[in-house]
Amino acid sequence: MSLPELLAGTVGDEDVVAEVPLGGDDRLAVTPTRTLVYRGDGLLSDESVDEYGHDVERIEVSTGRRKAKVTLGYGLDGDETLSVPTKRVDDVLHPILAGVLSASGVTGPGETVVRTFRFSELTLIVTSERLVKHVGSAVWDPEFEEFGYDDLTGLDFEEGTVATAVVLVHDGRSERFKAPNESARAVRETLADAVCSFHGVDSLEEFRVAAAEAEEAASDAEQTGTTDFGEGPDPLSASPAADAEADADAAPGAEAEPDSGGLGTEPKGAGGRDSAGGSESLAGGDGPGATTESAESASVGSPEPSGGSDPLDDPLAADAAVDDAAEDPLAGDEAGAESTGPLAGDETGAESTDSPAGDAPEAPAEGAERGAGGEPAAVGEEAVAADGETDGVVPDDDAFDGSPFESAGVEDADLASEVAALRRTVEAQSERLDRQSTLIEQLIEELRRGR
């Protein structure tokens, strides 16, 4: 469909990505950066185009019985409101949200907005790559949540008596929100198709199997790639020389060497006696049969390392999954209804013309002919009533011959001309009423479109 000249000139070189009819010649056109509302020429306004930029911070919708208002908040720059028919508000909101999400950087290049759902204070926006959820009185503002399909590992639907819960398993945690049962099927099919298309599978069962395999492969890769730190560092020793001697004695085939005790003197027993015979030995004398025995080591041994767990052996623990139950968004306030009073059309009264009728003179008391039963006799084609008046039929001229009554003077030609004039007057008034009815219907239609 070609755009009106004024709207096409306002669009310029931009591409129109969506177009929504608003009734009559009015329409809404959406470009990547703007929303344009075209109003055709009518009784209440001239042809015009209104522009609304997509760099908004908040979108609100209020719905009445006939009209709905979409309010775009621009922060410090104020708000802008556009009025649309209530039956068109969902068709209008969808492309506007798509343009705002693209301008805000929520959706990337080439990402399309598949469908938008509004449930009281819950808004769901299903795109080709993510699910955007917003809870609150506004349809959208910076307080939104998004769930990318690439990190999605589970998708399930739990039916209830009033609402259906949508369960998303995302980044190791579960996200739940509810949709009313009358819209649950549309939500299920739209979201499942988008997720399956993104992952290249044909059904949710295949998606769950593929997600489980991917998780198992990631777990195996994590275990294989773990760095081995061994049994931990050796405990520090207070006597490195004693530890080295203990290692040499433990080695097989190693020759024992005399230990000098570290001071170059033989150890003595108590009272200056040697440890072998217990007899006193002279200084510098060689006792016969004296044997050289190894003395106790002069070095002080290091304490045994105390047992305990090595902090390096304990791998990092994974964060526990926390299930957050989302509040029931079904308890929403009903939108207030706006009423529009009916238009009262002007009543045009039709002129009425009384047909001329002559008054017949009263019959004289004497001289009137009577029938056998005392009833008045017929005069011509008209019977004279008891009170002297006729039943409204104009008598012929010949009927008055030989009677005391006279003609009223109304001829057939005069009566026909008066009837024709009356018919023309009624037809003219009927055409005028038809034109007024058409204008009233056009005015009501423009009021319904939010003019």
Side-chain angles (χ1 to χ4, degrees):
M1 179 182 294
S2 61
L3 299 176
E5 183 177 355
L6 181 60
L7 180 59
T10 307
V11 171
D13 297 334
E14 288 189 287
D15 296 330
V16 177
V17 297
E19 187 175 352
V20 180
L22 301 179
D25 295 333
D26 299 349
R27 67 185 64 185
L28 180 141
V30 179
T31 70
T33 61
R34 296 175 295 169
T35 294
L36 306 175
V37 179
Y38 171 79
R39 304 289 186 182
D41 193 8
L43 294 176
L44 301 178
S45 62
D46 297 332
E47 186 182 23
S48 64
V49 176
D50 297 327
E51 300 183 26
Y52 305 91
H54 288 167
D55 53 339
V56 304
E57 298 179 1
R58 184 182 180 90
I59 301 177
E60 294 183 353
V61 175
S62 60
T63 304
R65 188 165 59 92
R66 293 182 178 179
K67 293 188 299 182
K69 295 181 180 180
V70 180
T71 303
L72 306 177
Y74 294 92
L76 297 178
D77 295 334
D79 298 339
E80 295 287 344
T81 301
L82 59 97
S83 298
V84 297
T86 299
K87 61 183 178 180
R88 298 289 187 183
V89 64
D90 291 332
D91 298 333
V92 167
L93 185 61
H94 178 75
I96 292 178
L97 273 174
V100 170
L101 293 180
S102 177
S104 302
V106 178
T107 57
E111 185 175 356
T112 59
V113 177
V114 180
R115 191 166 179 178
T116 302
F117 298 95
R118 286 194 309 123
F119 308 126
S120 184
E121 292 192 353
L122 172 66
T123 302
L124 298 178
I125 307 172
V126 181
T127 75
S128 57
E129 297 182 10
R130 75 196 70 218
L131 173 67
V132 179
K133 186 189 77 169
H134 183 273
V135 177
S137 59
V139 175
W140 182 86
D141 60 20
E143 301 298 326
F144 69 93
E145 295 182 82
E146 59 177 326
F147 306 94
Y149 300 153
D150 52 350
D151 296 332
L152 197 65
T153 58
L155 176 60
D156 197 4
F157 301 91
E158 299 176 355
E159 296 184 0
T161 56
V162 178
T164 297
V166 182
V167 184
L168 298 176
V169 182
H170 191 274
D171 289 336
R173 57 179 297 178
S174 296
E175 178 72 20
R176 292 173 177 266
F177 52 87
K178 293 182 179 180
N181 283 340
E182 56 267 21
S183 302
R185 181 176 180 181
V187 173
R188 180 190 299 109
E189 293 180 355
T190 303
L191 187 56
D193 291 345
V195 171
C196 292
S197 177
F198 179 85
H199 288 276
V201 295
D202 297 331
S203 63
L204 285 180
E205 288 72 16
E206 295 183 11
F207 164 70
R208 296 186 184 101
V209 172
E213 293 177 353
E215 285 186 349
E216 184 178 358
S219 178
D220 294 342
E222 183 179 357
Q223 293 179 359
T224 303
T226 301
T227 303
D228 185 9
F229 293 97
E231 298 179 355
D234 295 334
L236 299 178
S237 175
S239 178
D243 295 339
E245 180 180 353
D247 294 340
D249 292 340
E255 295 181 358
E257 296 181 359
D259 190 3
S260 61
L263 298 177
T265 58
E266 292 181 357
K268 297 291 184 177
R273 298 182 182 271
D274 57 49
S275 58
S279 59
E280 183 180 356
S281 82
L282 298 175
D286 295 333
T291 60
T292 305
E293 297 180 357
S294 59
E296 295 181 357
S297 173
S299 62
V300 179
S302 60
E304 290 294 332
S306 62
S309 60
D310 192 350
L312 296 177
D313 289 339
D314 187 7
L316 296 177
D319 293 337
V322 179
D323 295 337
D324 296 334
E327 298 180 356
D328 190 351
L330 294 180
D333 297 335
E334 297 180 357
E338 297 180 5
S339 60
T340 304
L343 296 177
D346 295 336
E347 296 182 356
T348 304
E351 299 179 359
S352 61
T353 305
D354 296 333
S355 60
D359 295 335
E362 296 182 355
E366 298 180 357
E369 297 181 357
R370 293 183 176 276
E375 299 293 334
V379 180
E381 295 179 356
E382 182 71 20
V384 179
D387 57 357
E389 295 182 357
T390 65
D391 60 354
V393 179
V394 179
D396 296 335
D397 294 339
D398 296 339
F400 293 96
D401 294 342
S403 69
F405 297 101
E406 295 180 358
S407 174
V410 179
E411 303 294 338
D412 292 341
D414 295 339
L415 182 59
S417 63
E418 291 182 2
V419 171
L422 180 60
R423 181 181 294 109
R424 288 192 298 271
T425 302
V426 172
E427 290 177 353
Q429 291 176 348
S430 178
E431 292 178 357
R432 183 180 179 185
L433 289 175
D434 291 340
R435 290 195 301 271
Q436 289 178 349
S437 177
T438 302
L439 292 177
I440 290 174
E441 291 178 357
Q442 183 179 354
L443 179 63
I444 293 175
E445 181 62 24
E446 290 185 5
L447 291 174
R448 286 178 177 176
R449 293 200 302 266
R451 290 294 185 93

